[in-house]
């Protein structure tokens, strides 16, 4: 094995070994050594992280030597064959296909346990293992004294193992295996404190919602199999046709001439990707899976409940190991999505919508971790928006945001964990405040994370969010100029690439016209900008409520509320440094000089984009054509920065000292004024007014009391007519909608869960009563027949003789008929 | 090696005899003899499995291995009955699983069965012997004898050692399956008579392979096939069981002793699917192809219906029993998808279900031994009390809901993909639209399965501790012990199999494929023809006899 293959195996193997080691030794053998599981974990993850960075360097090195005809680098390592079924499918060439290129004949179903190394995988591996390592260090202190110390670290390692395997899998089936495995790990870790009913329920909810997404993934995968006849990402070569030995084809290993190459799903000629309804169905089904894992609308409901797990687990899930899987999948499947631009629009639309929806919910939450959870959903929406933009810059910006988000979100969660640690596990922001003196380190690191999340210059979130907004804006712009001249921003690209750019911008739209698509992208852009404002607001609302105002500490914290130990503070500081400078280092679009990469490529002025551009799935012409020589969108950056500052300012105004304005606003949006206006108490008060009483008495004297009563009823009915919409309006007032999370949980409970449970109960009753009853009824028939027969047995010999003779006659008759 | 197969078959019968003779005098000796026999049978079956050769790719090879034949009635009498045993890919793993489950059953019954142990263990051994015989028999009479013979010991196991309603359950189980198997016998007889008519030797043959070869050359007329298919279907579908013929199953499971449930779920249900693979599809290809949409509908209804009924169950054992209905629906779906992936996935899922559900029944039995209740609402938070039991329960639950990396995934994925290929691979017309609905509905069973199983695990094992107040344990329940070594050993082989099949299913599939291909080829070919032209369909080259038959039709 060469170096890359070795590293590729070491990265997942280290946490796996740690799992086994902890499971075998920790419960009994080394129970007295309290920190043993923690040290094993930290050591394993350190190995894994170092190996990831080494792999990253190796891949970077290889990029300098890619060949012009295959302008990408990938390396595939096949470990063993999982299953093989010969002659699984038979293909007949379709009429429109060229007979020489069509895949015909018997196709075998073969799935290998194959790992791959390329830019995208290396990028993900670095993110995952680095963040996981820091979270593991933090956990040493946070989980100290917990009953399930070894169990925690065991699951932790399993989680990291599954995630590293997920991003290095080289076929859909293996990816799906670990896709579900991370679901299992989240189930185990969210339900880690299983004595708490909420924790157990949250774990189950996470698993089931993910299963709904996986259902889509599974269908998509099966559709891929019958469409493309393979599940491999990589191409493989039949090296010895006689023995039909297959070998993965990668950049290090070109097949010998004359061998037949079978393309993989994600490595084939651009024109051979299936378009139309089938292509759309594949993309949307895969995206449904991604929605489940990455908590996008409509499957976002599991992530906020996942807060029931230990806080470092939240950091792990939100930053590195689970929710990023969906983003990775969509990025990996770029060629499938590029073939069907409508699917990309759906990805962008769902992303933008989720970004705004989650931001709206986060506005009114009082649970610090819940605010952060909704901000994760919102930021993941941004990533999908970037991926949906479809250009190289868009996809890379989505991955860039994934990277920066991993840092600042892990930082924010760990800081929240540090707050919880000091506050005796209280996380309700109404119960503590002014903690900046008490927890100085936590305060400062949280501030860095919050600034990065809000997208303030020059912290990392600013750069990646700007890149996403810029790419979406460009896409809308490009699509709007279909009839006009092609965009003039790409003078370096050659003619073919320009053609490809035309193709991607408006050539392949089937159901929508490019003008409509352009409008849709524009709407997405505005949604995202609005969400950026809200992000800054809710982030700093949480920040001010937690760290500013007068010092308040809940009773649970006791008298010893204090800053966390160094083992927890150091990871915070490291992450804060990362969150602060990562963007500035990687995005160099503020420089004016245009750089050139090896093989005559133009630098996009964004190190992430340059690096990811060598991924085989991103080096296809349709994507490559959208490579822009780095431009910094000053206007977009200015708008989003101003909005972020406005959001911060509003949060400071409302929450910094007195919170009367905030309460006033909340009351306003709760429609309380409306409620007061037509309160039934007002009516009673009205009747007690002297004027009304006098009118009543005068009318009584005149004998016109019925008239007054009629008028009273009229008033009453008007009031009730007003009150009914009011009561409805009260429940759907903007504040309640946000605070009750737009009633999604209730909606699913009433529309899906309860009806299904009702049907289940009904079916169980039917099963016991009707189905079984029918069977028993049939079972009675022999008894009845027996009763009839008993009547025939009268004991008269001649009757028996007669029936015997009759029977013989019948048999003879049948025999005779049979003969002829 | 043929001798080894016969010896493996003989072990449980001889042990049963020994237990019956010696067990009267000393009670503990019965279980030790039973355990020794079980281990011996497992080792021998394991040796057979390891030495089972992966047949070369040639399709016309009849992949029977370890053949032994003794003439019982010679051809001179006009009757050719043999004691003929062999193993092929369809029966191999079920054969091994029978032996493994015997070990589990004996260990599970170790302390919980105190009433008439000699009779109990001899019945258990006879049951195993019958199951082993079913999967090894290569003579139709011999098969039918074993097929019926399995009913008797299980009838007594349920009737004597069962719960409160044991007699009703036992009688219902017995009559239900007996009624079906009478039809099966008529169907098999019809095939044998057809064989008798078509070959000119004047001997009534019962050898499966010879009959099969002849019937494939001279298929039954299509109208006849339909009736014979219905007859075979009656018996096998009740065994499987397909909805709506399933109502004996929950009752029998709930009332049966733990070992009885383990065997019932693990092996006896598989005799039905085995029968479809070994008899229905190869002998009656046309009728099978015609019946395919109907069987698929029944299967998918079973999947969804079984899963939904599970959601409403309050009794642990009933829940696992209904989950069997759902899982066997998956098996039948895969087999009757009649694509290579579907058939192999379905066949693998037979094994998987035996392992996972067998283990789940064993675990429910262990829980019952401790708390003397199976009501879900009386239990809660037990992972605090019995962590290892909880661990194994979660493990086998995950395998049962088909988590990747466990056996359940390998089977479910293959068979669903096979079904998907059948539904979306091409063809036209209403029947294909129906197939598409079936495929998607069946896939949704994956979500429902996770729902009810995880819901059960959550309520019983997580949350605050809740234990029944009365009963044999003292009020606090603190003296409830976790799994003993004996119980761990009962589950360990199954856990190893779960991971082995999950991580390297190729080993198991490779040994099944050479038998499954020829068994289903003709039916698959007919199905392709009935559904219409397909762009991407199952790759089944036309068998030579089919072409001949077709030529005849043209004339």
């Amino acid at each position: 094995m060469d170096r890359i293959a070795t590293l590729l195996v070491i990265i997942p193997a280290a946490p796996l070994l740690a799992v086994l080691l902890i499971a075998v030794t920790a419960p009994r053998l080394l129970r007295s050594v309290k920190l043993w599981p923690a040290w094993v974990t930290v050591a394993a993850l350190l190995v894994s992280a170092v190996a990831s960075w080494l792999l990253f360097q190796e891949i970077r090195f290889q990029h300098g030597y890619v060949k012009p005809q295959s302008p990408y680098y990938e390396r595939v390592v096949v470990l063993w064959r999982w299953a093989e079924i010969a002659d699984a499918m038979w293909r007949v060439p379709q009429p429109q296909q060229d007979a020489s290129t069509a895949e015909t004949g018997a196709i075998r179903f073969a799935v290998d346990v194959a790992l791959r190394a390329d830019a995208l995988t290396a990028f993900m591996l670095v993110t995952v293992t680095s963040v996981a390592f820091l979270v593991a260090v933090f956990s040493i202190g946070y989980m100290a004294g917990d009953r399930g110390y070894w169990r925690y670290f065991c699951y932790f390692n399993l989680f990291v193992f599954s995630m590293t395997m997920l991003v290095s899998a080289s076929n859909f089936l293996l990816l799906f295996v670990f896709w579900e495995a991370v679901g299992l790990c989240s189930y185990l870790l969210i339900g880690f404190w299983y004595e708490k009913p909420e924790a157990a329920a949250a774990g189950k909810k996470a698993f089931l919602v993910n299963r709904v997404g996986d259902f889509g993934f599974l269908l998509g995968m099966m559709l891929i199999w019958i469409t493309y006849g393979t599940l491999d990402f990589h191409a493989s070569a039949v090296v010895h046709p006689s023995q039909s030995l297959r070998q993965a084809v990668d950049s290090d290993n070109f097949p010998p001439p004359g061998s037949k190459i079978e393309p993989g799903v994600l490595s084939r000629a651009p024109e051979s990707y299936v378009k139309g309804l089938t292509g759309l169905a594949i993309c949307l089904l895969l995206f449904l899976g991604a929605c489940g894992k990455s908590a996008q609308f409509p499957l976002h409901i599991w992530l906020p409940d996942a807060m029931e797990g230990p806080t470092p687990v939240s950091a792990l899930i939100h930053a590195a190991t689970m929710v990023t899987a969906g983003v990775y999948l969509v990025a990996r499947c770029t060629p499938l999505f590029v073939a069907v631009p409508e699917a990309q629009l759906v990805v962008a639309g769902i992303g933008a919508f989720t970004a705004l929806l989650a931001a709206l919910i986060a506005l009114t939450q009082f649970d610090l971790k819940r605010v952060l959870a909704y901000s994760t959903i919102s930021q993941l929406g941004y990533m999908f928006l970037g991926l949906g933009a479809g250009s190289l810059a868009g996809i890379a910006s989505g991955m860039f945001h994934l990277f920066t988000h991993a840092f600042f979100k892990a930082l924010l969660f760990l800081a929240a964990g540090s707050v919880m640690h000091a506050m005796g596990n209280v996380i309700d922001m109404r119960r503590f405040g002014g903690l900046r003196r008490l927890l100085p380190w936590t305060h400062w690191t949280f501030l860095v994370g919050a600034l990065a999340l809000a997208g303030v210059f020059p912290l990392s979130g600013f750069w990646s969010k700007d890149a996403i907004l810029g790419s979406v804006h460009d896409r809308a712009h490009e699509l709007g100029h279909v009839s006009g001249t092609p965009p003039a921003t790409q003078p370096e690209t050659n003619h073919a690439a320009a053609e490809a750019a035309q193709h991607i911008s408006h050539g392949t739209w089937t159901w929508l016209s490019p003008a409509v698509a352009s409008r849709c992208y524009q709407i997405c852009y505005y949604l995202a900008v609005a969400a950026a404002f809200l992000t800054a607001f809710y982030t700093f609302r949480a920040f001010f409520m937690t760290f500013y105002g007068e010092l308040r500490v809940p009773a649970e914290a006791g008298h010893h509320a204090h800053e966390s130990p160094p083992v927890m503070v150091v990871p915070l500081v490291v992450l804060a440094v990362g969150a602060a400078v990562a963007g500035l280092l990687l995005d160099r679009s503020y420089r004016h000089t245009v750089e050139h990469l090896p093989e005559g490529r133009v630098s996009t002025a964004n190190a992430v984009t340059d690096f990811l551009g060598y991924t085989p799935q991103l080096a296809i012409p349709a994507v490559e054509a959208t490579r822009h020589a780095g431009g910094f969108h000053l206007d977009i950056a200015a708008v989003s920065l101003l909005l972020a500052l406005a959001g911060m300012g509003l949060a400071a105004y409302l929450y910094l000292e007195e919170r009367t304005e905030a309460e006033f606003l909340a009351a306003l949006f709760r429609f309380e004024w409306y409620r007061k206006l037509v309160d039934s108490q007002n009516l009673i008060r009205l009747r007690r007014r002297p004027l009304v009483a006098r009118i009543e008495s005068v009318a009584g004297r005149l004998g016109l009391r019925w008239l007054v009563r009629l008028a009273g009823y009229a008033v009453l009915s008007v009031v009730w007519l007003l009150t009914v919409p009011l009561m409805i309006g009260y429940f759907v007032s903007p504040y309640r909608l946000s605070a009750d999370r737009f009633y999604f949980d209730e909606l699913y409970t009433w529309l899906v869960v309860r009806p299904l449970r009702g049907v289940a109960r009904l079916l169980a009753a039917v099963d016991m009563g009707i189905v079984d009853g029918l069977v028993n009824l049939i079972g009675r028939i022999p008894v009845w027949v027996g009763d009839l027969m008993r009547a025939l047995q009268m004991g008269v010999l001649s009757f028996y003789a007669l029936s015997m003779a009759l029977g013989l006659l019948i048999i003879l008759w049948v025999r005779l008929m049979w003969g002829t | 090696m043929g001798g080894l197969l016969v010896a493996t078959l003989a072990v449980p019968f001889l042990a049963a005899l020994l237990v019956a003779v010696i067990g009267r005098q000393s009670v503990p000796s019965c279980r030790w003899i039973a355990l020794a026999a079980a281990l011996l049978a497992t080792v021998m079956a394991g040796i057979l499995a390891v030495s089972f050769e992966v047949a070369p790719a040639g399709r016309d090879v009849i992949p029977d291995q370890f053949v032994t034949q003794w003439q019982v009635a010679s051809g001179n009498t006009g009757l050719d009955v043999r004691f003929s045993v062999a193993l092929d890919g369809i029966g191999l793993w079920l054969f091994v699983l029978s032996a493994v489950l015997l070990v589990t059953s004996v260990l599970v019954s170790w302390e919980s069965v105190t009433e008439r142990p000699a009779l109990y263990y001899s019945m258990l051994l006879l049951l195993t012997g019958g199951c082993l015989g079913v999967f090894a028999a290569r003579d139709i009479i011999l098969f039918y004898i074993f097929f019926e013979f399995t009913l008797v010991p299980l009838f007594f196991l349920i009737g004597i050692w069962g719960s409160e309603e044991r007699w009703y359950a036992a009688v219902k189980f017995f009559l239900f399956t007996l009624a079906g198997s009478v039809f099966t016998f008529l169907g098999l007889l019809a095939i044998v008579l057809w064989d008798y008519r078509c070959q000119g030797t004047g001997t009534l043959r019962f050898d499966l392979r010879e009959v099969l070869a002849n019937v494939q050359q001279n298929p039954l007329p299509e109208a006849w096939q339909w009736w014979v298919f219905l007859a075979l279907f009656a018996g096998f579908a009740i065994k499987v069981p397909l909805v709506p013929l399933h109502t004996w199953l929950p009752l029998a499971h709930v009332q049966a002793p733990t070992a009885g449930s383990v065997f019932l779920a693990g092996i006896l249900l598989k005799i039905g699917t085995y029968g479809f693979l070994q008899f229905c599809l190869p002998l009656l290809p046309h009728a099978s192809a015609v019946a395919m949409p109907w069987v698929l509908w029944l299967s998918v209804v079973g999947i969804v219906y079984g899963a939904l009924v599970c959601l409403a169950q309050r009794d642990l054992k009933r829940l696992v029993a209904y989950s069997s209905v759902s899982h066997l629906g998956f098996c039948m779906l895969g087999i009757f998808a009649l694509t290579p992936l579907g058939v192999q996935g379905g066949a693998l899922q037979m094994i998987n279900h035996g392992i996972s559900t067998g283990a789940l029944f064993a675990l429910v039995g262990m829980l019952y031994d401790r708390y003397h209740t199976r009501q879900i609402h009386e239990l809660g938070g037990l992972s605090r009390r019995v962590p290892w039991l909880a661990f194994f329960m979660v493990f086998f639950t995950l395998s049962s809901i088909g988590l990747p990396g466990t056996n359940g995934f390998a089977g479910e994925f293959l068979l669903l993909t096979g079904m998907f290929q059948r539904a979306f691979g091409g063809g036209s017309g209403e029947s294909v639209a129906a197939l598409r609905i079936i495929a998607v509905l069946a896939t949704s069973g994956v979500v429902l399965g996770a729902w009810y199983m995880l819901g059960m695990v959550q309520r019983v094992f997580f949350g605050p501790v809740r234990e029944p107040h009365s009963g044999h344990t003292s009020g606090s329940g603190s003296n409830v012990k976790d799994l003993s070594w004996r119980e761990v050993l009962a589950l360990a082989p199954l856990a190893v199999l779960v991971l082995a099949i999950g991580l390297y299913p190729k080993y198991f599939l490779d040994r099944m494929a050479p038998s499954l291909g020829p068994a289903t080829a003709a039916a698959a070919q007919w199905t392709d023809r009935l559904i219409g032209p397909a762009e991407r369909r199952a790759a089944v080259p036309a068998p030579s006899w089919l072409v001949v038959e077709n030529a005849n039709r043209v004339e």
Side-chain angles (χ1 to χ4, degrees), chain B residues 178-195:
Chain B
L178 191 71
S181 50
V182 167
F183 286 106
T184 305
F185 185 65
L186 289 178
L188 290 175
L189 213 58
I191 292 171
V192 170
L193 286 174
W194 175 260
D195 168 62

Side-chain angles (χ1 to χ4, degrees), chain A residues 16 19 153-163 185 188:
Chain A
L16 182 64
V19 171
F153 282 103
C154 206
Y155 295 163
F156 194 100
N157 280 307
L158 196 61
F159 213 158
V160 180
F161 162 69
S162 306
M163 192 65 195
C185 295
L188 293 172

Side-chain angles (χ1 to χ4, degrees), chain A residues 169-246:
Chain A
S170 192
N171 62 53
F172 277 103
L173 194 121
L174 194 63
L175 197 155
F176 184 73
V177 167
F178 290 97
W179 183 268
E180 287 241 309
V182 293
L184 166 72
C185 295
S186 70
Y187 170 72
L188 293 172
L189 278 170
I190 294 167
F192 181 72
W193 287 313
Y194 53 80
E195 291 99 337
K196 277 203 303 183
E198 305 87 34
K204 190 187 77 170
K205 185 174 173 184
F207 195 88
L208 286 184
V209 175
N210 268 299
R211 264 264 154 141
V212 175
D214 295 351
F215 164 70
F217 192 147
L218 199 60
L219 286 179
M221 191 158 64
M222 296 193 285
L223 205 51
I224 285 174
W225 155 248
I226 61 171
T227 312
Y228 293 107
T230 176
L231 291 174
D232 286 342
F233 295 165
H234 53 268
S236 46
V238 179
V239 183
H240 303 295
S242 57
Q243 298 163 17
S244 70
L245 185 74
R246 277 165 38 125

Side-chain angles (χ1 to χ4, degrees), chain B residues 126-172:
Chain B
L126 286 182
L127 179 60
T128 316
C131 292
L132 292 177
V134 166
F135 300 126
R138 283 296 167 274
D139 183 276
I140 291 176
I141 293 284
L142 190 65
F143 168 80
Y144 193 73
I145 289 172
F146 280 124
F147 183 72
E148 290 291 307
F149 179 74
T150 53
L151 295 185
V152 182
L154 192 61
F155 173 73
F156 286 117
L157 280 176
I158 298 176
I160 299 178
W161 290 275
S163 314
E164 303 80 35
E165 289 181 62
R166 54 181 174 253
W167 195 248
Y168 174 59
V171 169
K172 189 165 189 170

Side-chain angles (χ1 to χ4, degrees), chain A residues 270-561:
Chain A
E271 63 276 6
S272 74
Y273 284 101
V274 174
K275 298 179 178 60
L277 209 55
T278 311
L280 185 70
I282 290 176
C283 290
L284 292 188
L285 287 169
L286 289 179
F287 183 56
L288 180 63
C291 279
K293 200 108 297 186
S294 294
Q296 293 296 289
F297 172 81
L299 297 179
H300 62 276
I301 51 169
W302 66 270
L303 191 60
D305 286 25
M307 297 294 96
E308 296 293 341
T311 308
V313 171
S314 308
L316 195 66
I317 289 178
H318 287 255
T321 47
M322 179 137 168
V323 294
T324 54
V327 181
Y328 166 77
L329 177 73
V330 175
R332 176 62 80 196
C333 296
T334 298
L336 298 176
F337 282 85
V338 164
V340 192
E342 279 87 354
Q344 287 187 322
L345 186 59
V346 171
V347 173
I350 293 276
F353 179 71
T354 310
L356 187 66
L357 180 81
L360 281 173
I361 296 175
L363 290 179
T364 55
Q365 301 299 315
F366 286 109
D367 182 323
L368 176 58
K369 279 171 74 178
R370 248 172 221 277
V371 174
L372 295 179
Y374 280 106
S375 90
T376 303
I377 298 177
S378 177
Q379 299 304 307
L380 286 164
Y382 274 108
M383 294 175 210
F384 280 109
L385 177 60
L387 296 178
S391 56
L392 180 62
I395 295 159
S397 66
M399 298 307 293
F400 186 23
H401 199 55
L402 188 154
F403 181 74
T404 57
H405 176 259
F407 278 92
F408 61 72
K409 192 46 67 69
L411 168 63
L412 287 171
F413 263 112
L414 293 185
S418 175
V419 170
M420 267 177 93
H421 195 67
M423 294 295 111
N425 282 333
V426 172
I427 197 64
D428 190 331
M429 292 188 292
R430 286 167 297 194
R431 298 192 49 201
F432 50 70
L435 300 182
R436 67 182 184 282
R437 301 263 158 66
L438 206 59
L439 310 169
W441 284 99
T442 309
H443 166 239
W444 285 112
T445 48
F446 196 101
L447 177 63
V448 173
L451 285 171
L453 174 57
V456 174
F457 180 85
L459 284 92
S460 57
F462 167 78
W463 298 101
S464 51
K465 198 181 284 182
D466 181 58
I468 290 174
L469 292 176
S471 60
V472 175
H473 190 263
D474 284 353
R475 182 71 198 261
H477 204 63
E478 261 174 44
L479 285 170
H481 282 83
V482 169
S483 50
T485 51
T489 43
Q490 26 177 296
E492 289 88 1
T493 47
N494 55 20
H495 181 65
E499 231 171 46
Q502 285 283 318
H503 196 63
I504 184 177
S505 59
H506 57 266
T508 53
W509 294 90
T510 320
W511 294 280
L512 295 175
S513 77
V516 175
S518 163
R519 193 126 349 115
C520 291
Y521 274 112
Q522 225 144 24
I523 294 170
C524 289
Y525 171 74
Y526 288 122
L527 290 179
V529 169
F533 168 72
L534 296 177
T535 306
F537 176 74
Y538 68 70
T539 310
F540 276 86
R541 167 179 175 270
F543 176 70
F544 290 135
M545 282 181 85
T546 306
F547 293 101
Y548 285 80
E550 60 181 294
L551 181 68
R552 280 182 300 140
V553 175
E556 286 90 335
H559 298 291
H560 53 278

Side-chain angles (χ1 to χ4, degrees), chain B residues 255-379:
Chain B
Q255 302 301 326
T258 303
S261 291
V262 170
F263 244 89
L264 185 55
I267 304 299
L268 280 161
L269 307 185
K270 308 309 170 326
I271 296 178
T273 43
Y274 175 80
F276 277 111
L277 277 173
Q278 194 75 278
F279 296 96
C280 259
L281 294 175
L283 288 171
L284 309 162
H286 181 258
S288 302
V290 172
M292 181 201 73
W294 303 101
V295 178
L296 288 180
W297 269 117
L298 287 182
S299 316
V300 80
V301 166
I303 292 171
V304 176
Y305 178 88
L308 284 175
V309 172
C310 275
L311 265 180
Q313 292 308 315
R314 298 196 186 133
D315 183 310
L316 272 174
K317 224 171 170 181
R318 249 190 133 70
L319 190 146
V320 182
Y322 274 108
S323 84
S324 291
V325 175
S326 187
H327 285 168
L328 265 296
F330 274 118
C331 291
M332 288 298 290
L333 188 88
I335 292 169
F336 269 81
L338 290 171
T339 51
L341 284 177
V343 171
Q344 298 208 23
L348 190 64
Q349 191 66 2
M350 282 157 59
I351 323 293
N352 296 339
H353 174 262
I355 296 168
S356 312
T357 310
L360 284 176
F361 272 121
L363 281 160
V364 171
M366 291 170 189
L367 211 57
Y368 186 76
D369 288 346
R370 284 167 175 73
Y371 290 105
H372 296 273
T373 182
R374 290 186 305 257
Q375 297 301 311
I376 292 173
H377 64 89
E378 289 181 19
L379 301 166

